[in-house]
Amino acid sequence: AQSVTQPDIHITVSEGASLELRCNYSYGATPYLFWYVQSPGQGLQLLLKYFSGDTLVQGIKGFEAEFKRSQSSFNLRKPSVHWSDAAEYFCAARPGSSNTGKLIFGQGTTLQVKP
Amino acid sequence: NAGVTQTPKFQVLKTGQSMTLQCAQDMNHEYMSWYRQDPGMGLRLIHYSVGAGITDQGEVPNGYNVSRSTTEDFPLRLLSAAPSQTSVYFCASSLAGTFRTGELFFGEGSRLTVL
């Protein structure tokens, strides 16, 4: 079955430190991949997306993600975390051949930033 | 620039009551969907629609009904609310089509409590 897994439920990093959030997918072919961020009490905002081409994609707020086909991964990174990055992060995927917008989401990773 | 609008933002129901969560988008998106968000479970798809007059079930459809009479609106109905339906509900929309990346645009959510 198609699935998206985020192995880390909760991560704490110090402000200014680097960040990597993990995401693994299980699909028959390369899916379209997304990272969303959710601030407390808010809806989800798209950070970045990958559907083809360069495997390193840049997003908003200084985030980037790297698609690795061999590892079925799409990890999110940021070189230097700011206190405002504290939020919940969701990885999502859908089949590239799909003609709907039906996304499957991972369980989410909550990021806490220490001062 | 409204995007996706959900109402109400908060609702408390008693077991057995019915209600409708409203969702409207002004981006002319073909695809609309409803997700529920529960702690540790990410977002799970309830129902979705690829256009007016077309709806389909997602991962957790039981206890919910939807209809899509216009492109803009996609209401979610709870016919007889149960405590297990206590959750945060998100409406999301996107452009559909095989060659579109299909990133979802989310509303701000509706927090429902069933007593």
Side-chain angles (χ1 to χ4, degrees):
Chain A
Q2 299 167 342
S3 66
V4 175
T5 303
Q6 294 177 244
D8 305 306
I9 296 173
H10 192 105
I11 284 184
T12 301
V13 300
S14 298
E15 190 169 16
S18 63
L19 171 70
E20 182 169 30
L21 302 182
R22 296 183 292 164
C23 173
N24 296 99
Y25 63 89
S26 175
Y27 275 78
T30 300
Y32 293 175
L33 296 160
F34 308 83
W35 274 99
Y36 284 85
V37 61
Q38 183 183 30
S39 298
Q42 300 296 314
L44 279 73
Q45 180 184 20
L46 180 69
L47 281 176
L48 46 78
K49 61 188 178 188
Y50 170 80
F51 54 95
S52 67
D54 193 346
T55 57
L56 184 64
V57 294
Q58 303 296 321
I60 62 172
K61 305 186 180 188
F63 285 92
E64 65 179 26
E66 186 171 14
F67 168 66
K68 292 185 177 180
R69 185 190 308 273
S70 62
Q71 298 177 18
S72 297
S73 69
F74 188 55
N75 294 349
L76 182 71
R77 301 195 295 245
K78 187 169 184 177
S80 178
V81 169
H82 188 262
W83 64 266
S84 61
D85 293 325
E88 190 159 19
Y89 292 80
F90 291 94
C91 183
R94 77 173 183 96
S97 59
S98 171
N99 64 356
T100 76
K102 196 164 91 170
L103 292 189
I104 294 175
F105 284 83
Q107 301 91 323
T109 298
T110 300
L111 173 64
Q112 183 178 1
V113 180
K114 293 190 301 184
Chain B
N1 201 12
V4 178
T5 303
Q6 290 182 234
T7 57
K9 287 188 167 42
F10 301 94
Q11 184 72 50
V12 178
L13 291 178
K14 295 181 180 178
T15 297
Q17 286 185 318
S18 63
M19 78 156 300
T20 300
L21 299 176
Q22 301 291 344
C23 176
Q25 53 89 12
D26 61 359
M27 298 174 283
N28 205 29
H29 285 172
E30 300 97 335
Y31 180 84
M32 296 187 74
S33 56
W34 278 101
Y35 287 86
R36 60 176 290 173
Q37 181 180 25
D38 302 291
M41 305 191 74
L43 281 83
R44 293 180 292 169
L45 182 64
I46 304 172
H47 284 286
Y48 65 96
S49 168
V50 298
I54 306 169
T55 64
D56 206 347
Q57 297 180 349
E59 185 184 358
V60 288
N62 292 341
Y64 307 95
N65 279 352
V66 292
S67 60
R68 184 94 179 269
S69 56
T70 67
T71 301
E72 295 77 22
D73 301 299
F74 191 47
L76 178 71
R77 297 183 185 85
L78 285 72
L79 299 180
S80 179
S84 61
Q85 294 178 304
T86 294
S87 187
V88 181
Y89 292 85
F90 287 98
C91 180
S93 70
S94 73
L95 292 170
T98 304
F99 299 105
R100 291 171 169 163
T101 54
E103 61 263 36
L104 288 173
F105 293 79
F106 282 83
E108 293 189 350
S110 299
R111 184 175 295 274
L112 175 67
T113 301
V114 182
L115 302 175

